[in-house]
Amino acid sequence: MAVKYSLGIDMSKQNFKVCFLSKDLDGHCKVKGSKGFENSLAGFTRFKEWYEQRQREKLPCSFVLEATGNYHEQLAWFLFREGQTVHVVLANRAKNYLKSLGLKSKNDHIDAKGLAQMGADQQLSVWQPLSENLYVLRSMTRYHEDLCKVLVQFKNQSKQLTYSMYPLREVAEGLQVALEAIEKQLQEIEQQIGLLIEKDEALRKKVAYMTSVKGVGLMTAAVVVAETNGFSLVHNGKQLTSYAGYDVRENQSGQRRGTTSISKKGNSHIRRIIHMAALNVVRYKVGNFSNLQQRVYERSGYKMKGYVAVQSKLLRLLYTLWKTEQCFEPRRSEKNTKGLINETKSQERDMNRS
C-alpha cells in the first residue's frame, strides 16, 4: 500500500520530463508513470490532468524541481497555486544525490526519476515564491549586473583601440556612444532600485540595517536580499554559506594534502556582489575584517583566501543584522554575534589549509 507520492521534474527551456513514484510502507518505490510536457501554460494544464489521474488515493505528494535558471519558476508557481507541496533543490544537491544512487548514465528520464526518489526519501524544504517586490528587485539587480559586465567589456575594447596599428575612428566613436548609453541605463536602474526599496517600508528598514556596515552599499544589500528571497531560503549561517557557494571543499587523501577551496556551487550573483563589499570593509578597517583577512593571508600565503574568508563572514553578518533587526556597531557586534564568529572559525581554519 502506498504511503506517499513523489514527482520528479527535470526542467528545460522548451519542455520538462516527469517521473511519478509511489512509496510503500516498506520504503520501496515504484514508478507509476513518466511523460514529457511542454514548458507552457497548456503543458502545465495537461500535466495536471496527467498526475491527477494517477493520484487515486489522497496521500501526501511532493513535487521536486531542480533550480535551472528561471525555467522552473512558472511551473513551480502553477503548482503552488494548485495547493501542491513544491520543493526546489539546488543543482549541486541534486547532482550529489544522483551520484549517491550509483547512476552512471545521465538523461532527462534518469534525472526526473532521481528527483522523484529524492522527494520520496528526504525531508526537503517547502518552496515559497518570491514576493512581488522581491521578484521585481531580483530582475532589476540581475539586469544591473548584466549592464556592468557589458560596460567592462566595452571599456576594455575601447582601451585596446588606443594600441591598434591603424586608427579606427568609427569603431571608437561607436564604442563611446554605447558606453554613454550603458552608463545612463545604470544610473536609471539604480534609481529605480532605490525607489522600489524606499516604497516598501519593511524592506527599507531591513536594508538600512544591512547598509549600516561601512562598505556595504544599497546595491549589495539589494542583491543579497533579492537572491535569497529575504533570507527565507536559509535558516542558519551554514545553509547560507552553502547556498552562496562558500562551503569549503577539501582535497586530501592519506598523507596527500591538496589545495582547499570553496565549492562555488551556489548563487554566483551573491558571490560577485559580496566580493566588492569585502574589499571595502577591509579597506575601511570595519570591525575585525581587516585582521581576519591579514591572518588568513599570513597562514595560507594566498591573499585571495583572506578575502574569501571575509566574504563568507560578511555575508553571515548581513544575515544576522537582517534577522535581529539591528544596526551594525563594531564593539557591540563583536559581543552579541559571538556565536556567529565562532561558527566561522572552523571554516576559517579550513580556508587556511593548503
Side-chain angles (χ1 to χ4, degrees):
M1 178 180 177
V3 295
K4 183 180 181 180
Y5 292 137
S6 178
L7 287 89
I9 306 172
D10 184 68
M11 300 296 303
S12 67
K13 182 178 180 179
Q14 301 294 338
N15 48 57
F16 59 95
K17 187 77 172 181
V18 182
C19 181
F20 193 120
L21 287 184
S22 64
K23 184 177 182 180
D24 60 23
L25 292 172
D26 296 328
H28 299 134
C29 294
K30 180 181 179 181
V31 177
K32 297 179 68 68
S34 60
K35 193 173 182 180
F37 300 91
E38 292 181 0
N39 191 0
S40 64
L41 183 58
F44 301 160
T45 303
R46 287 192 289 271
F47 171 47
K48 177 186 175 183
E49 296 172 353
W50 181 82
Y51 71 71
E52 285 183 343
Q53 291 176 356
R54 286 155 179 76
Q55 286 180 299
R56 298 176 181 177
E57 304 172 8
K58 298 296 182 181
L59 297 175
C61 186
S62 298
F63 292 76
V64 185
L65 300 84
E66 182 180 340
T68 52
N70 295 339
Y71 299 144
H72 69 282
E73 290 184 348
Q74 290 188 0
L75 178 57
W77 178 241
F78 176 85
L79 294 171
F80 178 81
R81 287 186 297 178
E82 292 295 327
Q84 301 293 346
T85 303
V86 181
H87 310 281
V88 177
V89 297
L90 295 177
N92 64 319
R93 181 174 181 180
K95 181 179 179 181
N96 291 335
Y97 181 79
L98 293 176
K99 282 185 177 180
S100 71
L101 297 178
L103 300 175
K104 297 182 180 180
S105 300
K106 177 178 174 59
N107 57 46
D108 294 344
H109 175 73
I110 292 175
D111 290 346
K113 184 178 179 181
L115 292 171
Q117 185 78 41
M118 178 185 290
D121 292 341
Q122 299 185 359
Q123 295 294 327
L124 303 174
S125 300
V126 178
W127 177 80
Q128 293 293 332
L130 287 168
S131 67
E132 183 177 354
N133 278 352
L134 290 182
Y135 188 85
V136 174
L137 183 62
R138 191 185 68 177
S139 298
M140 288 182 173
T141 54
R142 289 188 177 182
Y143 176 56
H144 183 277
E145 178 181 333
D146 291 338
L147 287 176
C148 289
K149 291 179 180 178
V150 175
L151 182 67
V152 171
Q153 180 182 355
F154 281 5
K155 282 185 175 180
N156 290 338
Q157 291 180 4
S158 181
K159 289 180 180 179
Q160 291 173 4
L161 288 177
T162 60
Y163 300 98
S164 61
M165 185 178 299
Y166 302 104
L168 302 171
R169 187 171 54 117
E170 293 81 0
V171 177
E173 291 177 352
L175 284 173
Q176 186 60 35
V177 172
L179 286 171
E180 293 175 358
I182 294 173
E183 289 175 347
K184 183 178 179 181
Q185 290 183 59
L186 282 171
Q187 293 178 358
E188 292 176 351
I189 195 65
E190 288 173 4
Q191 291 176 358
Q192 293 175 11
I193 290 173
L195 289 174
L196 177 64
I197 294 175
E198 189 68 25
K199 290 179 180 179
D200 190 325
E201 183 177 357
L203 182 60
R204 175 175 56 81
K205 289 181 179 179
K206 292 269 194 174
V207 168
Y209 299 134
M210 300 171 69
T211 54
S212 63
V213 181
K214 186 177 181 181
V216 176
L218 182 66
M219 286 304 304
T220 300
V223 170
V224 172
V225 171
E227 294 296 335
T228 59
N229 191 16
F231 292 104
S232 66
L233 298 176
V234 296
H235 304 287
N236 53 58
K238 186 176 182 180
Q239 286 185 355
L240 179 61
T241 299
S242 178
Y243 179 75
Y246 286 118
D247 47 324
V248 175
R249 180 180 60 186
E250 293 189 90
N251 181 19
Q252 64 179 51
S253 178
Q255 299 298 319
R256 184 185 67 82
R257 300 181 66 87
T259 303
T260 301
S261 62
I262 60 175
S263 70
K264 294 187 180 180
K265 299 294 185 180
N267 193 297
S268 60
H269 305 286
I270 294 178
R271 293 199 307 275
R272 174 185 174 275
I273 202 70
I274 287 294
H275 169 74
M276 302 305 298
L279 297 177
N280 290 335
V281 296
V282 171
R283 181 175 59 185
Y284 297 142
K285 299 187 182 300
V286 178
N288 67 348
F289 288 111
S290 180
N291 294 334
L292 171 62
Q293 190 276 332
Q294 186 64 27
R295 189 164 62 246
V296 175
Y297 171 46
E298 291 175 353
R299 293 176 182 176
S300 66
Y302 294 95
K303 183 174 292 186
M304 188 50 63
K305 277 195 173 184
Y307 281 110
V308 169
V310 171
Q311 292 170 36
S312 178
K313 184 175 180 179
L314 176 60
L315 181 60
R316 293 178 182 224
L317 174 61
L318 297 181
Y319 169 70
T320 300
L321 297 176
W322 173 279
K323 289 293 185 180
T324 60
E325 298 187 352
Q326 294 181 356
C327 289
F328 177 71
E329 295 182 16
R331 293 183 180 179
R332 190 181 68 183
S333 177
E334 289 300 319
K335 182 179 180 180
N336 292 352
T337 61
K338 184 177 180 180
L340 175 66
I341 295 173
N342 290 336
E343 192 176 353
T344 63
K345 284 185 177 179
S346 60
Q347 184 179 19
E348 178 190 336
R349 288 193 294 269
D350 290 337
M351 291 299 299
N352 292 334
R353 298 172 185 169
S354 57

